[in-house]
Amino acid sequence: MKSLLIFLLLASSVSTYGLSLDQRLAKVINAYSLEPVECDRGDSGDVLEPEASIGKLLFTSKFLSGGNDTSCSTCHIEALSMTDGLSLSVGVSGHGEGLERMDSKGVLVPRNAFTLFGRSKPGYTTFFWDGKVQEEDSVIFSSIGNGYLLGFDSPLAVASIMPLLARDEFLGEHGIVFQSDDVAEVNTAYYQDQFWAANRVLQQKLSNNSEDVSELKRLLFASGRETLTLAEVGNFLARFIQSLDKPCLQTGWQRYLTGDLGALTQNQKRGALLFYGKGRCAVCHSGKLMSDFQFHSIGVPQGGFGPYIHGQDIGRAAVTFNLKDRYKFRTPPLLLVSKTSPYGHNGVFKDLESVVLFHINPISFLSDWSWSSDREFYKYGNVMSTRSELLGFIDISDDDQFSDLMDFIRSL
């Protein structure tokens, strides 16, 4: 509601059109109380603190996976802005990185891998497309219980270990005849039992003498620790992810917010006014991280793969069990968004223009969409019926405005 009132105020203020673009943007920045994202301005160099070093080893090592073939870095690649560049990730039994994994025999993970930048920033309390890890009133809600009571330091720490509990992402192969020991131990457990089952599996993994485990034990001993629990794995991973956010973001918009008026082009400045004005983008993409961390449906086509029956992905409803939450997904933050294609919870939008235009008018995208099945074709009305009414108020009226808006979004 606050964003709507600000929008109406700016839209009705005819006097602002006698001002320069920078003067008008100054009013927007003041109205929205916009500030650059916090960063560590100290000179930390390339040396990680001990806990982050342990986290980096856990992040890059494959020994945590059931088949010793997958790590966090498999789907969060530094050269791809901590994504994997795929519409849907490839999990256990896969080989290589990025597009190479599509030629392997790996298992598809039916969600698009998101970037990890910004995840440790203040205010980031809702994780994953469906918000299955979320902090409210000093409680970390998750499928394994309240994270704080289990020894986790933050919701990011809980989110960091959730892939370790997922069959297709980490646990290993599962079939009628064969299933890995990790799947047998963890996949059949629920709620806190799953946490303790995964903790038992972790202790078994720590008993082997692989090079990574030996190095991990050395780092733990150097930091004064002799044991490692699953909660501590999450805490170490979170500390490493936090280290990714220490440098200041040097994007055009971040520099502009620090006072560098030359950091944006004239087109980008016009695009910023559209973003915070009649483009209505800031109604959901708000705040420093450019997300309201709420759940909305834009009517994304389901595609051929999803985590639930008939290949569907019902989004937030699978967490809340509320019919009204079907096909809703958390508003993605837009930091470095131009570097994290493809887009959407299932990666159906190959480029940034496609997903932004889909917000404005989905017809052009759908006219070229190849339906994965008759079921998807005939059931798409169910998805479209959940499309947020907020999208009906976007007022981008020509190619020039769309181009300016895109130029600004690329500066984020």
Side-chain angles (χ1 to χ4, degrees):
M1 181 59 70
K2 179 181 178 182
S3 296
L4 177 59
L5 292 174
I6 294 174
F7 163 73
L8 293 174
L9 175 63
L10 292 173
S12 63
S13 182
V14 178
S15 62
T16 63
Y17 288 91
L19 303 176
S20 69
L21 291 175
D22 290 320
Q23 290 171 326
R24 290 162 62 189
L25 269 178
K27 289 184 175 291
V28 169
I29 291 170
N30 181 64
Y32 280 92
S33 301
L34 300 177
E35 297 177 342
V37 174
E38 297 91 341
C39 60
D40 183 354
R41 296 184 177 276
D43 184 14
S44 58
D46 296 325
V47 179
L48 295 176
E49 61 179 8
E51 291 187 353
S53 295
I54 297 172
K56 182 177 182 180
L57 176 60
L58 293 168
F59 188 87
T60 56
S61 176
K62 296 180 179 179
F63 88 89
L64 289 173
S65 64
N68 297 309
D69 54 16
T70 308
S71 70
C72 303
S73 59
T74 296
C75 297
H76 299 285
I77 304 168
E78 185 175 359
L80 297 176
S81 297
M82 304 308 286
T83 69
D84 59 7
L86 303 176
S87 293
L88 301 175
S89 296
V90 177
V92 298
S93 302
H95 300 284
E97 285 188 348
L99 291 174
E100 293 177 346
R101 294 185 71 77
M102 296 302 295
D103 295 326
S104 67
K105 296 181 180 179
V107 179
L108 276 179
V109 178
R111 288 266 172 88
N112 178 257
F114 38 75
T115 181
L116 297 181
F117 288 123
R119 266 53 186 177
S120 68
K121 298 300 185 185
Y124 205 118
T125 56
T126 303
F127 293 82
F128 298 101
W129 285 104
D130 54 12
K132 62 186 174 185
V133 174
Q134 188 172 26
E135 182 180 22
E136 289 185 3
D137 300 324
S138 300
V139 175
I140 302 175
F141 295 94
S142 75
S143 59
I144 56 174
N146 180 356
Y148 287 128
L149 297 182
L150 295 172
F152 293 94
D153 291 340
S154 66
L156 173 59
V158 178
S160 296
I161 62 96
M162 295 307 288
L164 305 183
L165 309 180
R167 186 188 66 198
D168 296 340
E169 287 186 69
F170 263 88
L171 287 181
E173 294 185 78
H174 172 71
I176 297 175
V177 177
F178 168 80
Q179 65 178 350
S180 72
D181 292 339
D182 291 13
V183 170
E185 179 78 16
V186 180
N187 195 56
T188 55
Y190 296 95
Y191 201 53
Q192 288 190 5
D193 288 345
Q194 191 175 53
F195 170 81
W196 297 115
N199 200 51
R200 290 192 295 272
V201 168
L202 172 64
Q203 304 313 313
Q204 294 168 10
K205 291 180 180 296
L206 292 173
S207 66
N208 71 49
N209 295 315
S210 70
E211 183 177 339
D212 281 350
V213 171
S214 297
E215 176 62 11
L216 173 63
K217 289 179 178 178
R218 186 190 70 79
L219 290 174
L220 288 171
F221 181 79
S223 65
R225 295 174 174 82
E226 296 182 1
T227 60
L228 182 68
T229 67
L230 186 63
E232 289 171 333
V233 168
N235 295 335
F236 287 137
L237 286 171
R239 294 303 290 269
F240 170 66
I241 294 171
Q242 183 180 23
S243 74
L244 302 175
D245 283 331
K246 284 190 174 182
C248 296
L249 282 175
Q250 294 299 316
T251 64
W253 180 236
Q254 292 299 313
R255 296 201 311 273
Y256 190 89
L257 289 175
T258 62
D260 181 2
L261 301 186
L264 297 182
T265 66
Q266 295 296 97
N267 289 355
Q268 288 172 329
K269 291 174 184 178
R270 287 194 294 269
L273 291 170
L274 290 167
F275 186 96
Y276 287 99
K278 64 181 185 177
R280 299 273 287 153
C281 310
V283 172
C284 298
H285 293 285
S286 55
K288 294 180 181 180
L289 301 176
M290 312 202 85
S291 173
D292 61 359
F293 292 100
Q294 299 301 309
F295 302 88
H296 308 278
S297 169
I298 65 170
V300 178
Q302 289 282 289
F305 302 94
Y308 310 114
I309 189 170
H310 300 304
Q312 289 192 94
D313 193 336
I314 57 176
R316 182 63 173 167
V319 175
T320 65
F321 302 107
N322 190 331
L323 192 63
K324 293 181 179 180
D325 289 332
R326 286 180 309 156
Y327 312 118
K328 290 183 179 180
F329 297 88
R330 188 205 59 193
T331 304
L334 298 185
L335 300 182
L336 301 176
V337 66
S338 64
K339 302 181 184 298
T340 58
S341 63
Y343 304 97
H345 71 274
N346 53 4
V348 300
F349 303 104
K350 303 304 180 186
D351 54 57
L352 200 52
E353 286 83 359
S354 297
V355 66
V356 175
L357 185 58
F358 191 87
H359 282 70
I360 301 170
N361 178 11
I363 302 302
S364 60
F365 181 89
L366 293 173
S367 65
D368 294 326
W369 177 249
S370 297
W371 301 101
S372 63
S373 64
D374 287 345
R375 179 179 178 83
E376 186 193 8
F377 176 80
Y378 286 107
K379 289 291 185 179
Y380 182 65
N382 291 348
V383 179
M384 183 57 78
S385 70
T386 66
R387 187 171 155 93
S388 173
E389 64 179 14
L390 295 172
L391 300 173
F393 296 92
I394 297 173
D395 187 22
I396 302 299
S397 55
D398 57 48
D399 290 343
D400 289 340
Q401 290 185 357
F402 182 72
S403 178
D404 288 343
L405 178 62
M406 293 306 308
D407 283 346
F408 171 68
I409 292 175
R410 292 190 192 95
S411 79
L412 298 175

